[in-house]
């Protein structure tokens, strides 16, 4: 057996093992980056939802106040109409 063939039979399996582990490591790094990006996007979404919910609560309180004023006016109008009858 020649020296070249002998070295190839030793080096190629070793190179294959190293390549497989390298690809596995690269895939793990990419998954970690994707997970970090997804977590950051989820955090931004949660912040935006909390801000939107706060705004919605404020708008709902304003609408309830306006409705209470309208109910008061409507009661006054009904009272006037009953007096007129």
């Amino acid at each position: 057996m020649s020296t070249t063939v002998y070295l190839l039979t030793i080096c190629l399996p070793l190179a294959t093992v190293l390549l497989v582990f390298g690809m596995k490591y690269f895939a793990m790094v990419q998954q970690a980056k994707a997970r970090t990006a997804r977590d950051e996007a989820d955090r931004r979404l949660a912040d935006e939802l909390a801000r939107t919910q706060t705004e919605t609560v404020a708008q709902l309180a304003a609408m309830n106040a306006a409705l209470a004023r309208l109910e008061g006016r409507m009661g006054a109008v009904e009272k006037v109409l009953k007096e007129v009858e």
Side-chain angles (χ1 to χ4, degrees), residues 17-85:
V17 169
L18 291 176
L19 183 64
V20 167
F21 282 113
M23 290 182 349
K24 194 172 185 178
Y25 175 75
F26 179 75
M28 288 173 32
V29 168
Q30 293 302 319
Q31 286 176 352
K33 286 181 182 179
R35 191 176 312 117
T36 303
R38 188 184 67 233
D39 290 347
E40 182 61 31
D42 289 347
R43 204 170 298 118
R44 283 193 308 262
L45 181 61
D47 291 342
E48 182 179 342
L49 288 175
R51 186 176 57 251
T52 303
Q53 186 176 13
T54 302
E55 291 172 0
T56 303
V57 167
Q59 290 175 353
L60 184 59
M63 290 171 66
N64 283 338
L67 183 60
R69 286 192 311 269
L70 287 175
E71 287 175 347
R73 289 180 188 174
M74 189 64 120
V77 169
E78 287 175 356
K79 183 178 177 183
V80 168
L81 288 176
K82 284 183 182 178
E83 290 176 1
V84 169
E85 289 179 355

